[in-house]
Amino acid sequence: MSTSVFVTGEAKAPSNNPITSQYGLFFIAFEIDPDTHRILDAECSATLALTNRFVKGLFARERITDEGLLTERISARYHGSSQRALIAALHHAATKYRTAVGITAG
């Protein structure tokens, strides 16, 4: 396995969300294996440890390049007030990842 890649994504959370009060934005961080594009670890700027564990479980062992699958998983299983922010942050991180490892669209 080659050296892992670390990327973050950010998005605006709802104004009434504690994440916005504490952090200003919603952040998610991924450690990814660039050989397989599999997510090795994930963490987000949640205010609750349970939220962080749940979000990590949504992404565990999945490929960052499978954005459609990951978005569907978030929509089906994550019903917190930051759902839209989580999806937007995922897309931001995936875009940064593709740029970092030289994956072109198409």
Side-chain angles (χ1 to χ4, degrees), residues 73-90:
R73 182 174 283 176
I74 293 165
S75 296
R77 297 187 54 212
Y78 183 92
H79 298 285
S81 62
S82 299
Q83 183 189 65
R84 287 171 53 180
L86 178 57
I87 291 169
L90 163 66

Side-chain angles (χ1 to χ4, degrees), residues 23-105:
Y23 300 109
L25 290 173
F26 182 88
F27 291 91
I28 190 157
F30 294 104
E31 180 183 6
I32 303 163
D33 177 344
D35 292 333
T36 63
H37 311 301
R38 291 212 183 267
I39 298 167
L40 303 172
D41 204 356
E43 190 168 341
C44 67
S45 58
T47 56
L48 301 173
L50 175 58
T51 305
N52 236 324
R53 287 193 306 272
F54 187 84
V55 167
K56 181 177 181 171
L58 288 173
F59 297 115
R61 297 173 303 280
E62 296 297 339
R63 287 183 176 89
I64 191 74
T65 52
D66 291 339
E67 284 180 77
L69 170 79
L70 295 173
T71 299
E72 287 175 19
R73 182 174 283 176
I74 293 165
S75 296
R77 297 187 54 212
Y78 183 92
H79 298 285
S81 62
S82 299
Q83 183 189 65
R84 287 171 53 180
L86 178 57
I87 291 169
L90 163 66
H91 289 303
H92 187 228
T95 298
K96 287 167 94 176
Y97 175 76
R98 287 191 303 272
T99 299
V101 299
I103 297 174
T104 56

